[in-house]
Amino acid sequence: MTERFQTVGNPLLEDPKMRVRNASVFYADKQAIFDVDLDIGKNQVISMIGPSGCGKSTFLRCLNRMNDTIDICRVEGQLELDGQDINDRKIDVVELRARVGMVFQKPNPFPKSIYENVAYGARIHGLTDNKVQLDDLVEQCLQRCGLWKEVKDRLHEPATGLSGGQQQRLCIARAIAVNPEVILMDEPCSALDPIATATVEELIHELSQNFTICIVTHSMQQAARVSERTAYFHLGKLIEVNDTSKVFTNPEHQLTEEYITGRIG
Amino acid sequence: MTEELKFGGHISRQFDEELDEIRSRVLKMGSLVEEQLEKTLTALREMSPASISGVSKLDRKVNKMEMKIDEECTQILAKRQPAAGDLRLIIATSKSVRDLERAGDEAEKVAHMVKRALENDTSPNLYKGLQDLVEQVEELLHATLDTYARMETRSAVHNMRLDQAVDAEYGRVIFRLVEIMKNDSDSVSDALDVMWAARSLERIGDHCINICENVIYLVEGEDVRHTKFKEIEDQLS
């Protein structure tokens, strides 16, 4: 039996929003994540960085059981949301994904109107009682994502007519419409231009007042700008977790240093 | 960082070259300041101001190099967005060249004072004590450049000890000058000139220590400015 890897830094917190212990992920026989212990703080932004194939997206997808959709994928270990085991059989996965929402790399609005994209989730989860309340919710979510002014006169036009940056903010508006507690973002800006990226980053900052956000990013500058804590993954192992300010000025682990200074990629 | 800091090995070899270039320029700049001190020392040894010509030219070169290195640091910040050890190297270097430039200014002042003293037949009794101080400061500057070249914290701490010796020597020079002034009021004007030179030499020592502190920050990621020597020693042991 090989010795268990010890993450350096501060992976654990007091009273976290999500608690992960001894998490391992396998794709058939191949192990992709090795014994990860990590706490995710309430209303904090944590970013996951690391080279391609290091397991950061796989890890993110464990947090709302998106890996369940992959047949050969098996997740081991303890993953808790507010102390509740998310892999418990009694957990309704649809409910879990409403509490732990997700925004993907490529904006993926439904082929429906702008309005319907935001209203859809709230309607199926029965979050509003009537049309007025639903209208209010749609406006509120679009306001929070800074889209309202841009789209208020064309709410019933197809969402696919929006620019890439607007579509991504719409996807974030759609995610927050069901009132999640945690938002997972998998490279949310990698398909966006620098201006749209700056808008989304500003949005992440504002949303962090009320939501817990985990973001996977290939842009180290983005991790440095948006997150309070940074987790570095390498070959499926969680190498280091520290305050972002420390990781980018004086990381503890040699591998973290080599990655963020562009020596391994 | 637990392991040794390295500056090569980037995926971008061009970045490696840019960092190498900056580091060697800093050493070249430092050697120009050393040369200024060396010229002053020769003048004191030979009791002749001949060697001092060219010091101002050296100082102008030092000033130009400061601007050049700063520009290169700015370009790296803009183009490479350095992080961790690379970021600390750029910050520490940018600060260190400012200290080297100021050390150059001080060295120029000392040279001019010595030149004036030698040309005006000032009593050697007044400035003979300066020679030891120049030698010690030159040694400290040389050791500091070596510390920067090797990026080594142990020698940085050793240099702090050398600076304590410089401060003690400075104290002795001042004490002696005060004694001379007490006994010979005609010497006050010349003695004050020598005192300013001694003060400039002591300041060069302080700039060296700033550079050593920058190296400690660069290697360890620890900011040791405004920290007592004993605490720095304990922290790094």
Side-chain angles (χ1 to χ4, degrees), chain A residues 205-263:
Chain A
H205 176 71
E206 277 165 29
L207 293 176
S208 68
Q209 317 288 322
N210 306 98
F211 303 96
T212 299
I213 297 173
C214 307
I215 176 170
V216 162
T217 177
H218 269 301
S219 160
M220 283 174 277
Q221 281 71 41
Q222 178 166 70
R225 286 190 297 263
V226 303
S227 60
E228 287 145 282
R229 288 166 84 220
T230 296
Y232 173 64
F233 285 83
H234 186 84
L235 298 174
K237 292 181 175 130
L238 178 56
I239 304 296
E240 174 168 355
V241 183
N242 257 318
D243 287 349
T244 299
S245 56
K246 176 159 174 63
V247 169
F248 287 94
T249 56
N250 193 17
E252 270 182 59
H253 202 285
Q254 182 76 14
L255 284 170
T256 319
E257 169 101 17
E258 287 179 3
Y259 179 67
I260 65 168
T261 55
R263 289 176 170 92

Side-chain angles (χ1 to χ4, degrees), chain B residues 65-204:
Chain B
M65 288 198 80
E66 183 202 16
M67 289 164 72
K68 176 80 184 154
I69 295 168
D70 261 347
E71 169 62 20
E72 286 175 345
C73 289
T74 306
Q75 286 297 328
I76 285 183
L77 288 172
K79 283 196 298 190
R80 308 280 181 190
Q81 289 103 42
D86 296 336
L87 176 64
R88 299 200 306 274
L89 173 68
I90 296 300
I91 299 293
T93 298
S94 186
K95 286 181 176 177
S96 296
V97 293
R98 197 179 329 155
D99 277 302
L100 277 180
E101 189 276 327
R102 288 185 184 170
D105 287 348
E106 302 290 355
E108 190 190 14
K109 278 188 219 164
V110 177
H112 285 156
M113 192 294 301
V114 169
K115 188 167 177 256
R116 231 179 4 253
L118 292 169
E119 283 171 351
N120 296 347
D121 292 328
T122 304
S123 159
N125 202 25
L126 283 173
Y127 57 79
K128 69 179 179 195
L130 222 47
Q131 193 171 320
D132 284 348
L133 194 55
V134 179
E135 273 172 15
Q136 285 189 19
V137 169
E138 202 187 357
E139 185 193 344
L140 173 56
L141 176 61
H142 189 79
T144 299
L145 294 172
D146 201 44
T147 295
Y148 179 86
R150 290 190 285 128
M151 297 295 169
E152 216 246 325
T153 53
R154 206 180 317 156
S155 65
V157 174
H158 172 73
N159 298 344
M160 289 175 179
R161 267 195 217 102
L162 289 182
D163 185 52
Q164 290 175 343
V166 165
D167 289 347
E169 184 62 31
Y170 168 67
R172 280 192 288 274
V173 169
I174 296 300
F175 179 79
R176 222 166 49 83
L177 288 167
V178 169
E179 289 301 305
I180 292 171
M181 285 190 282
K182 273 187 198 164
N183 298 325
D184 175 12
S185 59
D186 290 345
S187 70
V188 168
S189 173
D190 288 343
L192 280 175
D193 230 11
V194 178
M195 225 178 225
W196 283 117
R199 172 79 186 142
S200 284
L201 288 164
E202 189 269 340
R203 288 295 302 146
I204 295 174

